[in-house]
Amino acid sequence: MNYSNQINNEGFSIINNVYTENEIEKLILLIENATQNDSDNATFRKSQDLFAIRQFHKEVPETLDFIFNENLNEIIESNFGKGYFITKSIYFDKTEKSNWFVAYHQDLTISVNKKIEAANFENWTVKQNQFAVQPPKEILEDNFTIRIHIDKTTKDNGALKVIHNSHSKGILRIENLDFDNEKETICEVEKGGVMIMKPLLFHASNKTTNNERRRVIHIEFSKHELPSGLEWSEKTLLQNN
């Protein structure tokens, strides 16, 4: 299960058949139980177009045993090595009626415990008592994201679009990307598959047009310690690391 060349060269990789139908059904059941019992939680965001759970691995920790199955643990270790930990997770449920889309962007911020002065940490924001900051480029270049697909995801229900190798250009304003000479891919993923991507890869998603749900668990990973006094606010160690 070595996809590291593709991840390093293209900025992403799609791996299907990571989870069995049974594992996906168990994840769905755990998520549904959590949302029914705690709908007033501040980390739960609900609108007509989207339902999201921020800090997902802390809000629904019983999912972790199913998420980090033998296949995913092998994928992480064989492609990235040991020492990585969870830094952020979000569950997205893009509904059948969704007319919500996301324009091309890079994932430039990390979640931290507080705001302090630190060299090359900039563009601070705070949302729902959660501090976010843009760290040095070297941290973003080394991090990775895994998106677990609970539903079959196609061009018709909001699959991500990506620009190949755009992660290698550093932090870039979108208007400085020459779209006429870039390769774009729509990342269709089977139910039970995953997409691995680098944070600096330009990505976007379209509106849903086929009235089918698109549920995704988005997990970000790092192995970097932050400057003294600053901590990853959602840091969770992996059991196999």
Side-chain angles (χ1 to χ4, degrees):
M1 287 190 181
N2 195 307
Y3 303 88
S4 55
N5 285 340
Q6 184 181 21
I7 295 166
N8 290 332
N9 294 333
E10 303 289 352
F12 72 101
S13 184
I14 295 166
I15 309 169
N16 286 312
N17 301 311
V18 176
Y19 298 93
T20 65
E21 183 75 28
N22 187 47
E23 287 170 326
I24 292 296
E25 291 307 315
K26 287 180 177 176
L27 284 173
I28 290 171
L29 184 61
L30 290 169
I31 292 166
E32 287 180 346
N33 287 343
T35 56
Q36 288 170 2
N37 296 334
D38 209 357
S39 59
D40 293 331
N41 194 313
T43 60
F44 290 23
R45 175 186 163 201
K46 190 174 182 65
S47 70
Q48 180 180 345
D49 301 325
L50 170 72
F51 178 73
I53 303 175
R54 297 189 178 279
Q55 302 185 37
F56 174 77
H57 65 289
K58 291 191 170 187
E59 294 294 346
V60 199
E62 55 271 27
T63 59
L64 291 178
D65 285 342
F66 297 103
I67 290 171
F68 289 94
N69 66 4
E70 185 175 341
N71 285 340
L72 193 70
N73 288 334
E74 165 64 21
I75 288 167
I76 292 172
E77 185 167 341
S78 62
N79 290 283
F80 301 100
K82 289 184 175 290
Y84 281 87
F85 46 83
I86 298 171
T87 62
K88 183 190 292 186
S89 68
I90 310 172
Y91 166 74
F92 293 107
D93 182 357
K94 200 170 188 177
T95 68
E96 303 95 314
K97 297 182 175 64
S98 176
N99 62 1
W100 168 67
F101 78 101
V102 178
Y104 266 112
H105 66 286
Q106 297 172 300
D107 290 339
L108 297 179
T109 63
I110 61 173
S111 298
V112 294
N113 62 329
K114 59 185 175 182
K115 181 177 180 180
I116 64 170
E117 289 296 323
N120 300 315
F121 284 74
E122 55 193 26
N123 299 327
W124 288 88
T125 59
V126 60
K127 194 180 296 182
Q128 297 176 333
N129 298 319
Q130 175 72 71
F131 291 95
V133 65
Q134 182 177 315
K137 179 169 66 80
E138 292 73 25
I139 291 179
L140 294 173
E141 287 176 336
D142 207 28
N143 290 357
F144 65 93
T145 297
I146 295 180
R147 294 168 58 88
I148 298 158
H149 287 254
I150 292 175
D151 300 297
K152 180 180 174 67
T153 305
T154 70
K155 61 182 176 58
D156 298 319
N157 69 335
L160 284 192
K161 301 183 296 184
V162 301
I163 302 297
H164 284 241
N165 197 38
S166 53
H167 68 299
S168 69
K169 304 176 189 296
I171 296 171
L172 197 65
R173 294 178 66 90
I174 187 66
E175 56 266 30
N176 293 330
L177 207 59
D178 181 7
F179 277 90
D180 290 337
N181 293 305
E182 299 291 350
K183 179 182 178 183
E184 180 185 77
T185 291
I186 297 176
C187 297
E188 298 189 319
V189 186
E190 295 294 328
K191 178 179 181 179
V194 304
M195 176 184 177
I196 302 174
M197 58 181 281
K198 302 294 286 182
L200 294 181
L201 184 77
F202 272 96
H203 58 286
S205 66
N206 286 339
K207 302 174 184 179
T208 296
T209 60
N210 65 356
N211 294 326
E212 292 184 3
R213 291 174 86 175
R214 189 214 69 179
R215 289 169 290 183
V216 173
I217 300 170
H218 168 113
I219 307 178
E220 299 178 13
F221 298 84
S222 185
K223 63 179 180 182
H224 285 268
E225 295 302 322
L226 299 177
S228 179
L230 202 59
E231 299 287 346
W232 300 92
S233 62
E234 300 179 43
K235 180 176 180 178
T236 301
L237 299 177
L238 305 183
Q239 290 184 355
N240 68 319
N241 269 263

